Amino acid sequence: MTNETDVNTFMASVNWQVNSKFSLNLGMAYSMADMEMQDVRFGSESFTEGVTFPDLGGATSTWAGEYDPANTNDIESYSDLEYDIININVGASYAITDTIGLTVNYVYEDVESDEKYVYGDEDGDYQSLMTYLTVRF
């Protein structure tokens, strides 16, 4: 089995110290990702109901179904994962005093996938607003 993963990320950021108490930052990232499995070949070893095997706790467990590793050989048909991610983050920091500071950060992330995967459509976006109070002593 081979698993090939490529991720290319391009990033840029700017930090600006407006004055001795106030600073701003802006960051952007764009990622292109691709992952694919090939040559997945397992032999057929069917386990059926009634097979007993030891579990990690020292007791024995009984499998109540059927499992065959060869069923995973079709993983290649849905393992071609391609997606792009855009990440934008903006922040500001303010020194209220020499020992107390306030920081606010906003993050926006957008994921675009080229096809539906095992769990369906993986497109979507994410937003987060975080505030920090820093005390130095």
Side-chain angles (χ1 to χ4, degrees):
M1 175 175 83
T2 59
N3 183 343
E4 184 176 316
T5 303
D6 294 316
V7 178
N8 297 294
T9 301
F10 303 94
M11 299 173 67
S13 65
V14 175
N15 296 301
W16 180 31
Q17 186 71 41
V18 178
N19 57 41
S20 63
K21 292 186 171 268
F22 186 60
S23 65
L24 297 170
N25 62 68
L26 170 67
M28 300 175 77
Y30 177 69
S31 298
M32 299 173 293
D34 180 28
M35 191 280 276
E36 183 177 13
M37 290 182 180
Q38 297 176 341
D39 303 321
V40 180
R41 299 288 173 256
F42 291 103
S44 181
E45 296 285 336
S46 181
F47 298 96
T48 58
E49 185 176 348
V51 174
T52 302
F53 53 93
D55 69 8
L56 297 175
T60 58
S61 300
T62 301
W63 177 254
E66 182 174 351
Y67 174 74
D68 189 344
N71 292 337
T72 61
N73 290 341
D74 291 331
I75 198 169
E76 291 180 31
S77 64
Y78 55 84
S79 73
D80 188 12
L81 310 175
E82 293 182 35
Y83 55 90
D84 298 336
I85 299 175
I86 296 172
N87 178 287
I88 299 170
N89 58 75
V90 178
S93 294
Y94 183 74
I96 299 168
T97 68
D98 288 342
T99 59
I100 299 173
L102 182 67
T103 302
V104 177
N105 285 325
Y106 170 77
V107 176
Y108 173 78
E109 191 161 281
D110 183 53
V111 178
E112 295 287 329
S113 58
D114 291 342
E115 53 188 272
K116 292 183 178 181
Y117 305 123
V118 176
Y119 300 108
D121 186 7
E122 299 293 318
D123 290 349
D125 60 0
Y126 162 81
Q127 296 184 59
S128 175
L129 181 63
M130 297 169 280
T131 303
Y132 306 95
L133 181 63
T134 305
V135 179
R136 295 175 190 88
F137 46 108

